[in-house]
Amino acid sequence: PQDAGETGDGVSVPRIVDGGGIHCGGVDEPQTCLSGALACAKRGFRVFPLHSSHGGVCTCQPWRDRKGPGPCKSPGKHPRFKNWQLAATTNPVVIEQIWRRCRGANVGVATGAGSGIFVLDVDPRKGGQESLDCLTHKHGAMPDTLQVITGSLGHHFYMEHPGVTVPNQVSLMPGLDIRCSAAAGGVRP
């Protein structure tokens, strides 16, 4: 079933933003971010904090300004710390500690065997919908699985990890990518 956007009664449900991550609107909505992280963890998804963005400017920008590498190329879509693959967790106590320390952090979801998922990323700007239509015409409909809408109005299909190595693959077909081994996806409350 699709699990994205508004439910109609004003309740938000998970929604992927383009590039991955729960986008919580920044430091003004830390409880929303924490709730989103806890909801993902309850599903068994290992989570970690991502930077957030304010007016298109990433929260990493002050560091970048001091270090000189220029503007952030993926505002609000990248981890707040190194080794996020190892630190991603489903432990609610740890999640509360992290999001209280990183107020307003967007939420990343670690894909792969540890979370039991991989993600099929369909990007319509790169022909992903046409590629998906071709695959479903040839092989049948997508399975009934968690599906979220990306910022580009594409889709992320959360699939059960098969228990064998599934490599990340960019451009499986035009506009179709697989996010699995130590990759980051995410959701938006």
Side-chain angles (χ1 to χ4, degrees):
Q2 190 161 337
D3 209 4
E6 292 286 319
T7 62
D9 57 2
V11 177
S12 293
V13 293
R15 176 184 166 94
I16 297 283
V17 294
D18 191 32
I22 289 181
H23 176 69
C24 301
V27 295
D28 296 335
E29 301 180 44
Q31 197 59 38
T32 302
C33 300
L34 173 58
S35 297
L38 291 169
C40 289
K42 190 172 183 177
R43 286 185 181 264
F45 300 165
R46 296 179 320 116
V47 298
F48 59 95
L50 299 174
H51 280 280
S52 54
S53 120
H54 307 279
V57 177
C58 190
T59 54
C60 77
Q61 197 60 50
W63 176 88
R64 296 180 69 81
D65 290 344
R66 285 192 309 276
K67 300 294 181 179
C72 179
K73 293 182 177 148
S74 56
K77 301 177 185 178
H78 59 96
R80 289 185 66 115
F81 52 81
K82 293 180 183 179
N83 300 320
W84 60 267
Q85 301 93 330
L86 300 174
T89 184
T90 59
N91 183 322
V93 173
V94 173
I95 291 168
E96 288 197 33
Q97 290 171 347
I98 290 171
W99 266 265
R100 294 207 192 292
R101 226 177 27 245
C102 300
R103 292 179 55 84
N106 293 334
V107 181
V109 174
T111 59
S115 284
I117 57 171
F118 72 95
V119 173
L120 175 63
D121 179 0
V122 180
D123 187 344
R125 298 171 303 177
K126 298 178 181 176
Q129 189 59 54
E130 292 82 4
S131 293
L132 182 62
D133 291 346
C134 179
L135 284 176
T136 56
H137 179 75
K138 184 175 181 178
H139 300 286
M142 289 293 294
D144 188 22
T145 188
L146 177 67
Q147 177 187 159
V148 291
I149 299 172
T150 68
S152 64
L153 300 179
H155 295 87
H156 281 190
F157 291 93
Y158 278 64
M159 312 292 272
E160 184 177 352
H161 193 280
V164 296
T165 301
V166 178
N168 289 322
Q169 188 167 354
V170 176
S171 295
L172 176 67
M173 290 178 67
L176 295 183
D177 299 334
I178 291 184
R179 309 287 181 205
C180 189
S181 303
V187 295
R188 176 183 178 151

